[in-house]
Amino acid sequence: FSLIKRLMVLLMSVFKRKETDTRKRLYRLCLYSCIFFNKGLYKLLPRTLEEKKFYLQGLYDAEGSIEKNKLAITLSQKNIDDLKLWESWLNELGMQTSTSILTSRIIYKCGVIRILGIDSKIKFHNLIGFRIKRKQDSLEAGIKKNTMWGG
């Protein structure tokens, strides 16, 4: 009984949030489910390309970053296995990526996915993008600056 009760509390915490974005809710539901089930995430992972796209949209909204001057789209994560999984999804969607592992005294181990090449960055914009206005504006300004793409 306590397992069901804890699951209900988990679901309520996800759906009580003020977020109206389904992608963020899907990401958080999968993330919290992983914490709840301890390694059970793989049972809840998206299977279709469309589900993976929505998951990545929520993930990049919550954890991704964009630097418009360099047009650097990155995602950092301590769990390297998860990072490799997400990178494979980006590759399935046709984007070139690179992953690097950073270590320091402050951050013990952290991986970073970078979207490579202007074509992949435009594809990221078209398929995933950001729902957070400042991130989306930076992405669009960076693409416009680095290409003849003007919308």
Side-chain angles (χ1 to χ4, degrees), residues 66-129:
I66 173 83
E67 186 180 329
K68 74 176 170 186
N69 292 334
K70 295 180 187 176
L71 191 56
I73 304 168
T74 60
L75 175 70
S76 302
Q77 176 62 243
K78 288 182 182 178
N79 187 322
I80 305 306
D81 292 333
D82 286 350
L83 203 67
K84 288 178 182 176
L85 176 66
W86 300 328
E87 182 181 30
S88 73
W89 293 354
L90 290 166
N91 296 153
E92 278 183 61
L93 290 168
M95 289 171 241
Q96 287 185 310
T97 58
S98 88
T99 302
S100 55
I101 310 299
L102 309 172
T103 57
S104 71
R105 291 181 186 176
I106 299 168
I107 303 171
Y108 294 104
K109 189 160 97 176
C110 179
V112 178
I113 298 174
R114 287 182 179 78
I115 309 290
L116 302 176
I118 193 67
D119 291 339
S120 292
K121 292 170 184 177
I122 291 171
K123 193 171 279 192
F124 177 89
H125 172 271
N126 293 335
L127 294 176
I128 297 172

Side-chain angles (χ1 to χ4, degrees), residues 66 68 130 132-143:
I66 173 83
K68 74 176 170 186
F130 294 104
I132 298 171
K133 185 173 176 12
R134 67 180 166 74
K135 289 183 178 183
Q136 186 66 15
D137 289 348
S138 292
L139 176 60
E140 290 175 358
I143 289 173

Side-chain angles (χ1 to χ4, degrees), residues 20-32:
T20 57
D21 189 358
T22 305
R23 295 176 300 185
K24 281 187 182 178
R25 286 186 185 206
L26 175 62
Y27 164 70
R28 291 191 191 285
L29 181 60
C30 289
L31 179 69
Y32 295 161

